[in-house]
Amino acid sequence: MPAVKEIDRIDALEKVLGATLYAGDMYIEGMLYGVIVRSTRPHATISKINIKEAQYLEGVVKILSCNDIPGKKEFGIIKKDQSLLAEKKVRYVGEPVLVVVAETERLARKAAELIQIEYDDIISIHDPFTSEKAPVLIHGSGNLLSHRTVLKGDVQKGFRQSDVIVEHTYRTTWLDHAFLETEAGIGYMDNTGKLVILTSTQNVHYKRKEISRILGLPEENIRVIQATTGGGFGGKLDMTVECYVALAVYHTKKPVMIRFTREESFLSDTKRHPLYIEYKTGARRDGKIQAVEVNIIGDTGPYISYGETVCLRAAIHATGPYEVPNVHVDSRMFYTNNPISGAMRGFGVPQIAFAHESQMDEIAYALKLDPLHVRMINGLKKGSRTATSQILEASAGYIETLKRLEPYWQGRKKLKGRGFGLGSMFYGIGNTGITNPSYAHLSIAENGKIALHTGVCEIGQGSDTVLLQILCESLGVDDKNVELIRGDTDTSKDAGSTSASRQTYISGMAIYNASIKMREFLDKEEYYKGRGLKDIFLTYKEKGVPVFEGFFDPPTTALDPETSEGKPYATYAFATHMTEVEVDEITGYTKVLKVYAAHDVGKAINVRNIKGQVYGGIAMGIGFALMEEFRPGETHSLDAYYIPTSMDMPDVEVFIIEDEEPTGPFGAKGVGEPALIPQAASIVNAIKDAVDVRPFELPCHIERLKGLIESKTSK
Amino acid sequence: MLLLPKFDYYEPKELTEACRLLSETGSKAKIIAGGTDILVNMKKGLISPKVLVSLGRISRLSEVERMNKSITIGSHLIIAKLAEFDLIRKRFSILASAAKVLGSPLVRNRATIGGNIVTARPAADLPPVLMALGAKVKLKSRRSEREVALDDFFIGPGATVIKPDEILTRVIIPETPSYTGGHYIKLGHRKALEIAIVAVASKITLNKPDGVIKDAKIVLSAVAPKAVHAKSAEEVLIGEKPSAKLFEEAASLAMNDCKPITDIRGGVDYRQAMVEILTRRTLSFAWKEAKKGKKQ
Ligand SMILES: Cc1cc2nc3c(=O)[nH]c(=O)nc-3n(C[C@H](O)[C@H](O)[C@H](O)COP(=O)(O)OP(=O)(O)OC[C@H]3O[C@@H](n4cnc5c(N)ncnc54)[C@H](O)[C@@H]3O)c2cc1C
């Protein structure tokens, strides 16, 4: 396949100049503002709501409750289990109860403060371990949301064959996406009577479905447009403001804006699932892994969101990028009255990578083998059988990621207080074992440009640019001759969510598919012999310009409900990071000095975008490893939620490996989540190398690490 | 985005005018300098002054001047500038280094030295170094003017001896004698935008390069309701010849000179332990600098 011609990011200049408008910057004459009134209790029934004082405040237009919902009252991205506005019961601090709509935002906030809600508290559950046997049920059906297993071979036999067994427990906590732009949306009725919502989101078509359900209106009457989105990381997949804005517009017939403060965002945004991971690995003397047994306990909060997805994805990825003959994984997700956990860059895999990479190093230490060597001899490659018994047929560049880093690894020079660590990962691109198609279509616009219609949401990762490149390359046109029309339910078909690192691969392929058809047409119309697009347009203007539909759905199979056997993903990305840290043993402060990051992306469509993702992933991985910790009830804003700054960024060297994926556009896979996944693991292993203590709980922040070092020396 | 409540805003060109506005409006008025603290608190609804009086247009408040035996810094000098002045960098390097680690470039470009003092946050960066340098502040109201040593200025979190009608106009720092060295260390999770878990400022003066300690100041931050001197540690140093052992002794005394609390940024035990470490480290560094010699 040819290299794809690179173009500059199409949104870069406008963003650098600060000229880009986000949803919260929009203004429409006469617009109203909505503010959500939220539960202050983790688990309670609502006994009384007093809105009198708020209602009569001048400028307050409406106060909406669950009784004002004309359609279905529940929503949810996987299952409809969450009340849009609480009816009788609240199940977490921050659960929406009412929406105040007023002439100004200030008034709406003031009115919201004047509303009194009385509660009868119910025993609340905050620990997934006691959840199953707790005397109260958060929902009727029991407090276990999901239990998945991955079975391969015979683990007992595998452990019997092992010369060494290491067994540890790993823990992670809640993280917030902390996107720069908090959740925001604006809605209005257009002059055809359609309800239009402009919102910061990762998925316009899903949002339209939810609004349609909630309002009891057909989808044709609703239009969802993606506003420029300042980061998502999974936090803008679930419904955030959209249905509330829609409900307010529905009732007031006026434009309405809702935008969250950082505090509201922290309170309501779904979090990364805290996972508790018991991990046992057995290996032969030569380092060959014989068996892996894993028990995962997760806390999903009171509603499903992506709880089942994370439960399954963590289980499938539990063995990491290694071929393990005997596997037994149990993964359970429990309900609690803690914050809702949902999608966050990697869906449980960054957590599990922390565990399996710590284990790999422990095996290497126990056997006095080189950690890179142990990874090498166990690594997945073409022809390997994964834990779900999928045979990797192509594009399995894991070993290559190790080989690329090997010279640096072998040449590393350990200075005092410093250490090096490796972290590897594999990651299934797209949704797990279910259909997750993307559609796109192409045509010629009146202005003589090729119109690319796609439902893909650009959330800062660069999909606009990459999709354009794929189109230009496969069609043989210049990007100046293309008009990108995206992220709008009126002008595009469903491309699925911008999540699971799937858009370059799946929507890229859908566009590729459409352009193959269009190419034939253009060829016939002698475009490639020099005929202009405008001319072709005029020929077809009367009888209608043809539309070229593109479609791709990666070939996966449903998984066996007991063993998870099957083909959950059509392709996997692979990566290894090597990190050097410096640890101040006396204070516990860790500085990340240098990261070498090797990624098998299938094919690099845009090298700068890939590097951008890797840099960002490393920053997020530093946060996950060393400082980020959302504490329910204590973390209210960025004041006490530490995300790394540019000053905390290490030097980064990126190595791109192109083991082409035959089903992907030009061989491409994805890199969005893979960029983050191995980073925390590599830091933890580097800390162990530096100061000979192993963190089992993240974040391994300054004080926690000091404690670990201290307990080592006092032994 | 949090919204600001409504208020009236004045930008007097003269200090006397600012004083008049304050005295006439009474407790409803507040000074706004860089606004990095007061506006946040107003947005959060913690305070709601009806009148804000800006010092931004009063010219002489951003100057650094050398007086006979001291330098004085206008209260409206922004933190970023503080680290730039040659005079400050050379003579009061600990002030420059504290200024460099305060917040982020955005904050440093707006926040002022006066604002950082009057805010009186227990973990603020400038008070500990200014106290170690023996600084005083000049407070001016319509009718009077007084000088208060920074040691006597702070009462507790957010509380100082400043009266509602007073303006902090200048910070006065005495010239440091020869053979003086100092150091400031701020401990946190990350390299910028960090509220200290613990911070320590130390300054020592020797009678001669290889002589004894004539004067010692150790100020601990984020481990008490306000920045505090590690008194017993300071005392044990005076008259002694510096050595690693002496600094260890002082450091372990410093641990008991503070009363930290556990909060989201750190626990009591950790903070206490770090006071010892940072005291030792700042003293060793200060000693090295002090030995270097005479002031120009
Ligand atoms: C993101 C962020 C990060 C921060 N990081 C740090 C940090 O690392 N270290 C740190 O120490 N602080 C930090 N701060 C706190 C704050 O920025 C500083 O305390 C700053 O120095 C305050 O100065 P200002 O000029 O902005 O004060 P303002 O906000 O204008 O005023 C603060 C208070 O002082 C009063 N005041 C100001 N000037 C005078 C005067 N001349 N006379 C009388 N009263 C006066 C005001 O009335 C007000 O009550 C941070 C703040 C933010 C928002």
Side-chain angles (χ1 to χ4, degrees):
Chain A
M1 287 257 189
V4 180
K5 188 171 155 265
E6 282 214 14
I7 56 175
D8 289 336
R9 268 188 78 127
I10 60 172
D11 52 342
L13 185 64
E14 203 191 74
K15 280 181 176 163
V16 168
L17 294 175
T20 306
L21 292 181
Y22 295 80
D25 300 322
M26 299 298 164
Y27 178 79
I28 301 173
E29 193 61 39
M31 73 193 227
L32 307 173
Y33 290 84
V35 164
I36 296 170
V37 181
R38 300 176 182 279
S39 158
T40 54
R41 305 304 168 90
H43 202 193
T45 52
I46 297 172
S47 56
K48 204 169 150 194
I49 299 181
N50 183 349
I51 60 167
K52 281 226 176 66
E53 241 186 295
Q55 204 172 16
Y56 296 123
L57 210 64
E58 179 147 356
V60 171
V61 179
K62 269 229 145 55
I63 298 176
L64 301 165
S65 74
C66 64
N67 299 323
D68 299 304
I69 302 170
K72 296 270 192 322
K73 292 185 195 297
E74 290 83 27
F75 73 98
I77 191 148
I78 306 291
K79 291 186 180 146
K80 311 294 172 197
D81 68 329
Q82 200 171 343
S83 299
L84 184 70
L85 293 167
E87 194 164 357
K88 288 192 198 77
K89 210 173 182 188
V90 291
R91 297 182 177 87
Y92 71 101
V93 174
E95 178 148 10
V97 181
L98 302 168
V99 182
V100 178
V101 187
E103 282 167 7
T104 67
E105 200 169 19
R106 191 187 306 273
L107 251 170
R109 290 200 190 285
K110 184 165 179 199
E113 275 169 26
L114 292 174
I115 290 171
Q116 293 148 356
I117 305 176
E118 286 171 28
Y119 299 94
D120 289 323
D121 288 318
I122 306 170
I123 297 172
S124 59
I125 303 167
H126 297 278
D127 181 351
F129 290 93
T130 56
S131 177
E132 192 166 27
K133 298 206 172 65
V136 290
L137 294 181
I138 293 176
H139 297 281
S141 51
N143 291 340
L144 174 67
L145 163 64
S146 178
H147 179 190
R148 301 298 297 242
T149 45
V150 177
L151 301 174
K152 180 185 174 190
D154 175 351
V155 274
Q156 292 322 325
K157 194 175 120 221
F159 286 124
R160 279 197 303 274
Q161 290 164 353
S162 299
D163 296 309
V164 60
I165 289 174
V166 296
E167 192 170 3
H168 290 291
T169 301
Y170 304 87
R171 269 173 179 261
T172 67
T173 190
W174 292 279
L175 303 183
D176 190 273
H177 306 90
F179 21 67
L180 275 179
E181 179 216 17
T182 57
E183 299 85 340
I186 183 168
Y188 56 92
M189 307 292 282
D190 75 6
N191 47 24
T192 67
K194 213 177 231 194
L195 195 149
V196 184
I197 305 285
L198 182 78
T199 177
S200 178
T201 180
Q202 301 180 234
N203 45 8
V204 281
H205 287 84
Y206 161 66
K207 299 291 156 68
R208 181 172 67 172
K209 281 202 189 79
E210 288 291 24
I211 295 168
S212 145
R213 263 177 64 88
I214 288 285
L215 296 183
L217 291 175
E219 286 187 24
E220 303 84 77
N221 295 13
I222 298 156
R223 176 178 186 184
V224 179
I225 306 170
Q226 188 205 10
T228 305
T229 298
F233 309 109
K236 292 171 182 170
L237 291 169
D238 293 88
M239 200 280 296
T240 62
V241 297
E242 296 87 358
C243 287
Y244 304 105
V245 173
L247 188 68
V249 175
Y250 178 92
H251 282 284
T252 61
K253 305 281 177 279
K254 287 199 171 161
V256 177
M257 173 179 288
I258 297 182
R259 48 183 187 181
F260 289 175
T261 61
R262 180 62 65 184
E263 287 76 1
E264 277 177 290
S265 181
F266 265 107
L267 190 61
S268 66
D269 181 17
T270 57
K271 302 290 177 284
R272 182 181 292 287
H273 283 82
L275 295 186
Y276 172 93
I277 304 160
E278 293 170 344
Y279 207 118
K280 182 174 169 185
T281 310
R284 262 184 354 216
R285 196 158 293 125
D286 61 1
K288 269 288 215 184
I289 306 290
Q290 298 303 303
V292 159
E293 190 175 5
V294 188
N295 183 28
I296 304 167
I297 304 288
D299 175 349
T300 204
Y303 296 108
I304 298 173
S305 177
Y306 281 95
E308 292 164 313
T309 315
V310 168
C311 183
L312 178 58
R313 207 183 248 276
I316 291 173
H317 289 80
T319 46
Y322 309 107
E323 186 163 19
V324 182
N326 304 297
V327 180
H328 183 149
V329 184
D330 268 296
S331 182
R332 291 185 187 80
M333 196 56 85
F334 289 99
Y335 287 119
T336 66
N337 297 108
N338 291 324
I340 304 172
S341 286
M344 185 167 173
R345 206 174 190 178
F347 291 99
V349 183
Q351 295 94 307
I352 202 78
F354 157 50
H356 65 63
E357 288 310 281
S358 299
Q359 290 285 116
M360 283 311 275
D361 265 31
E362 284 297 292
I363 288 286
Y365 279 107
L367 293 167
K368 301 199 166 46
L369 295 171
D370 180 344
L372 187 129
H373 171 74
V374 174
R375 286 174 172 82
M376 194 85 94
I377 61 170
N378 288 293
L380 289 170
K381 45 186 174 287
K382 202 170 143 185
S384 292
R385 237 174 101 212
T386 65
T388 68
S389 296
Q390 175 179 358
I391 306 291
L392 297 180
E393 283 153 16
S395 189
Y398 174 57
I399 300 294
E400 199 50 41
T401 67
L402 292 172
K403 284 192 178 151
R404 205 62 75 83
L405 298 185
E406 198 169 11
Y408 301 94
W409 180 253
Q410 301 308 352
R412 69 195 190 276
K413 281 199 190 66
K414 213 168 105 61
L415 303 176
K416 196 179 173 306
R418 293 195 184 180
F420 293 87
L422 293 170
S424 290
M425 71 105 229
F426 81 136
Y427 188 78
I429 304 297
N431 300 359
T432 310
I434 50 170
T435 165
N436 63 133
S438 176
Y439 298 85
H441 62 276
L442 302 171
S443 187
I444 304 175
E446 203 159 354
N447 59 8
K449 285 191 176 188
I450 288 163
L452 163 58
H453 296 263
T454 166
V456 173
C457 290
E458 159 79 69
I459 55 172
Q461 86 283 30
S463 58
D464 280 356
T465 310
V466 162
L467 297 179
L468 262 181
Q469 281 181 251
I470 290 170
L471 175 71
C472 292
E473 191 68 36
S474 47
L475 213 48
V477 300
D478 195 274
D479 64 289
K480 285 180 204 70
N481 294 327
V482 182
E483 185 168 32
L484 175 72
I485 301 153
R486 67 105 164 101
D488 180 340
T489 57
D490 260 20
T491 60
S492 62
K493 293 190 179 166
D494 196 351
S497 293
T498 295
S499 66
S501 304
R502 61 186 285 288
Q503 292 297 23
T504 301
Y505 172 55
I506 302 178
S507 293
M509 205 54 202
I511 289 166
Y512 182 82
N513 179 251
S515 53
I516 297 305
K517 298 171 192 167
M518 187 167 197
R519 198 181 171 112
E520 219 170 279
F521 166 80
L522 289 178
D523 195 33
K524 208 178 70 207
E525 294 298 329
E526 308 203 314
Y527 170 74
Y528 299 107
K529 294 202 176 106
R531 195 175 160 212
L533 286 169
K534 212 161 204 165
D535 195 34
I536 302 173
F537 174 83
L538 291 174
T539 312
Y540 284 89
K541 196 178 172 189
E542 293 296 299
K543 48 184 170 177
V545 185
V547 173
F548 304 91
E549 301 264 0
F551 167 81
F552 181 61
D553 190 8
T556 62
T557 63
L559 303 182
D560 183 277
E562 258 146 57
T563 62
S564 292
E565 242 175 72
K567 186 179 175 185
Y569 313 99
T571 188
Y572 296 84
F574 297 88
T576 303
H577 287 191
M578 168 180 154
T579 297
E580 183 181 9
V581 301
E582 182 170 41
V583 180
D584 181 341
E585 262 194 82
I586 315 259
T587 61
Y589 178 77
T590 304
K591 170 121 185 96
V592 180
L593 299 172
K594 173 103 194 189
V595 177
Y596 302 84
H599 284 261
D600 170 21
V601 300
K603 181 88 185 176
I605 305 288
N606 189 309
V607 171
R608 278 177 292 173
N609 269 8
I610 290 171
K611 287 187 176 171
Q613 287 298 299
V614 174
Y615 299 151
I618 287 168
M620 238 175 171
I622 291 172
F624 179 36
L626 299 176
M627 55 184 97
E628 290 186 44
E629 181 171 26
F630 178 88
R631 299 197 210 168
E634 284 184 76
T635 310
H636 303 292
S637 74
L638 289 168
D639 178 32
Y641 186 81
Y642 296 96
I643 52 175
T645 69
S646 56
M647 302 268 293
D648 301 291
M649 268 305 275
D651 253 6
V652 179
E653 227 167 294
V654 181
F655 304 89
I656 294 175
I657 287 129
E658 298 182 308
D659 192 340
E660 291 178 13
E661 167 52 44
T663 63
F666 300 98
K669 304 188 278 194
V671 76
E673 290 151 302
L676 157 74
I677 294 166
Q679 186 52 42
S682 72
I683 292 175
V684 162
N685 285 338
I687 289 175
K688 164 77 184 170
D689 188 41
V691 286
D692 196 29
V693 297
R694 177 164 289 286
F696 292 104
E697 188 173 1
L698 298 186
C700 181
H701 56 63
I702 183 167
E703 186 172 345
R704 186 168 279 153
L705 183 55
K706 171 70 181 167
L708 286 176
I709 293 167
E710 205 127 89
S711 50
K712 176 193 79 173
T713 40
S714 66
K715 257 184 208 148
Chain B
M1 182 191 326
L2 292 171
L3 300 173
L4 274 175
K6 289 210 160 66
F7 55 87
D8 287 335
Y9 181 70
Y10 295 93
E11 278 185 344
K13 288 210 177 67
E14 298 296 331
L15 192 57
T16 47
E17 176 64 6
C19 290
R20 189 188 60 81
L21 279 164
L22 274 193
S23 80
E24 283 174 5
T25 340
S27 59
K28 289 200 198 90
K30 277 239 165 230
I31 294 290
I32 177 166
T36 61
D37 200 85
I38 195 166
L39 293 178
V40 178
N41 289 335
M42 286 169 70
K43 284 186 169 188
K44 283 186 182 162
L46 300 175
I47 52 168
S48 43
K50 295 281 167 281
V51 174
L52 286 186
V53 180
S54 164
L55 302 179
R57 284 177 184 273
I58 302 170
S59 55
R60 271 181 28 84
L61 280 188
S62 306
E63 283 165 13
V64 178
E65 285 162 10
R66 204 165 177 170
M67 309 283 268
N68 34 6
K69 283 236 168 342
S70 59
I71 67 156
T72 91
I73 303 172
S75 66
H76 208 68
L77 190 73
I78 58 168
I79 311 282
K81 284 263 167 65
L82 210 47
E84 277 171 20
F85 270 93
D86 247 17
L87 185 62
I88 295 175
R89 277 210 327 244
K90 289 215 180 94
R91 295 294 174 106
F92 309 100
S93 62
I94 51 171
L95 180 55
S97 43
K100 267 193 215 142
V101 295
L102 189 151
S104 64
L106 272 72
V107 175
R108 293 196 287 273
N109 283 333
R110 287 216 61 87
T112 63
I113 181 171
N116 196 252
I117 296 169
V118 180
T119 320
R121 284 215 204 184
D125 282 301
L126 302 188
V129 295
L130 288 170
M131 282 164 67
L133 289 168
K136 289 183 291 192
V137 290
K138 200 174 255 185
L139 306 175
K140 189 172 162 46
S141 69
R142 197 175 180 186
R143 295 207 164 71
S144 69
E145 186 167 49
R146 58 177 177 145
E147 281 183 11
V148 179
L150 217 49
D151 282 350
D152 305 320
F153 183 76
F154 300 106
I155 297 171
T160 70
V161 300
I162 198 166
K163 298 196 185 112
D165 66 341
E166 279 179 326
I167 296 174
L168 193 161
T169 54
R170 306 204 77 81
V171 181
I172 303 157
I173 312 175
E175 284 277 5
T176 48
S178 294
Y179 310 116
T180 297
H183 197 44
Y184 177 66
I185 302 181
K186 172 185 190 176
L187 193 64
H189 293 91
R190 55 183 179 190
K191 284 279 173 221
L193 270 176
E194 181 67 75
I195 306 298
I197 303 172
V198 180
V200 176
S202 293
K203 190 198 76 172
I204 55 174
T205 303
L206 306 173
N207 64 347
K208 54 182 194 219
D210 55 353
V212 297
I213 299 172
K214 239 177 26 180
D215 185 36
K217 294 280 181 275
I218 300 165
V219 184
L220 317 176
S221 183
V223 287
K226 56 180 181 175
V228 290
H229 282 272
K231 287 233 171 62
S232 43
E234 288 173 356
E235 276 161 23
V236 80
L237 293 172
I238 309 269
E240 300 290 328
K241 248 181 124 84
S243 70
K245 199 164 159 289
L246 178 69
F247 291 160
E248 247 164 60
E249 192 188 343
S252 83
L253 286 169
M255 259 198 349
N256 300 318
D257 285 335
C258 61
K259 298 185 272 310
I261 54 162
T262 292
D263 64 15
I264 196 156
R265 300 186 208 279
V268 171
D269 296 340
Y270 181 70
R271 283 189 154 132
Q272 212 138 21
M274 288 308 110
V275 163
E276 181 177 8
I277 305 300
L278 301 192
T279 302
R280 208 168 64 209
R281 285 185 179 178
T282 50
L283 284 174
S284 312
F285 192 98
W287 180 27
K288 252 188 234 148
E289 207 182 68
K291 277 193 291 196
K292 272 193 220 146
K294 272 184 126 55
K295 285 274 134 138
Q296 311 82 333

